[in-house]
Amino acid sequence: MTAHAVICLRAKGITDWPAFAEGCLRLSPRVGVRAGEAVFVDARGLERLYSDRGLGLRLRAVSARFGANGVTMGEGPCAASAWLSSRWGLKDPAREVGTLPVAAVRDACWPWSIPDEATQKSWEKFARALKDLGVRTVSELLKIPSGQWALRFGAFGVELCESVRRICEGLPPKSVESWPVFRLPERVIERTCLDDEAQVVSAEALLFVFKGLADRVFARLRGRIHRLAIARLRLELKD
């Protein structure tokens, strides 16, 4: 990882992505969430605080507290590039994005969320136009003269082509340059459900469960730069 780029972390096992993002606030004051899929950490300007290797290890340590496994991280000069890197396994988005299939254009233009229904229909129309032209990769798309974009693809297609062109130049797409606001919940709440196989029949076993919850609570508090003042514990017992 590079301590002067945007980092996108994807993983399996994380059920509460906003809580994980909250824990990442201790590493960077700017984080973002792609619901149910990824957390973005803006490490630009933080190279004096972390070494490249150190930042990656810290992110993995925080993710482990929230149950992550199969962690994949990508980086780039902007959120769109970082999402492409993580999603498609790129090392250098600016140089490698041209080798990707045209489906990657969709990822480049919507790193924060899945497009809504109306946008998805426009995307499908754009994708059909590319198929009719025999365009299979991003590099083949960018070989089409920019002066023909509007005629062939309309205003929607022009915006997509321009976004991909900027990523190839190491620049953020104008349409997704601003980050969505990440709002902290009013209270820090962590919960777990014990199945029958857990066999929690002693205080020692229960304390082991509490430790995992406490680790996540304190990771989130460190992200907020808060100290614990009041803690409430609630147990629900089966008949």
Side-chain angles (χ1 to χ4, degrees), residues 109-225:
C109 297
W110 292 281
W112 298 112
S113 63
I114 297 173
D116 58 32
E117 184 177 354
T119 304
Q120 179 63 23
K121 289 181 178 179
S122 296
W123 160 256
E124 291 171 356
K125 181 179 178 181
F126 174 73
R128 285 194 298 269
L130 294 181
K131 184 177 180 180
D132 292 342
L133 289 171
V135 175
R136 294 169 297 176
T137 65
V138 172
S139 62
E140 290 175 351
L141 170 61
L142 295 180
K143 287 178 181 179
I144 299 174
S146 58
Q148 297 181 18
W149 289 350
L151 179 63
R152 292 181 180 274
F153 310 125
F156 181 83
V158 170
E159 184 176 346
L160 299 189
C161 294
E162 179 64 21
S163 294
V164 175
R165 183 189 64 78
R166 287 179 63 87
I167 288 176
C168 290
E169 295 176 354
L171 300 171
K174 293 180 179 179
S175 58
V176 295
E177 192 169 358
S178 60
W179 286 43
V181 177
F182 177 66
R183 301 187 185 279
L184 292 172
E186 184 178 348
R187 293 184 296 173
V188 174
I189 299 175
E190 288 291 338
R191 57 173 61 89
T192 189
C193 181
L194 304 176
D195 55 33
D196 294 335
E197 296 179 358
Q199 296 182 351
V200 179
V201 295
S202 67
E204 183 178 357
L206 196 57
L207 287 174
F208 181 79
V209 174
F210 289 163
K211 183 182 183 302
L213 291 174
D215 282 347
R216 294 198 292 271
V217 167
F218 284 107
R220 294 172 65 182
L221 290 175
R222 282 193 292 270
R224 295 174 177 233
I225 320 179

Side-chain angles (χ1 to χ4, degrees), residues 74-77 81 84-102 104-105 108 136-140 142 164 167-170:
E75 62 181 73
S81 294
L84 281 173
S85 297
S86 178
R87 181 90 165 76
W88 296 89
L90 307 182
K91 298 297 183 183
D92 186 343
R95 293 186 177 183
E96 298 175 61
V97 71
T99 65
L100 297 180
V102 291
V105 175
R136 294 169 297 176
T137 65
V138 172
S139 62
E140 290 175 351
L142 295 180
V164 175
I167 288 176
C168 290
E169 295 176 354

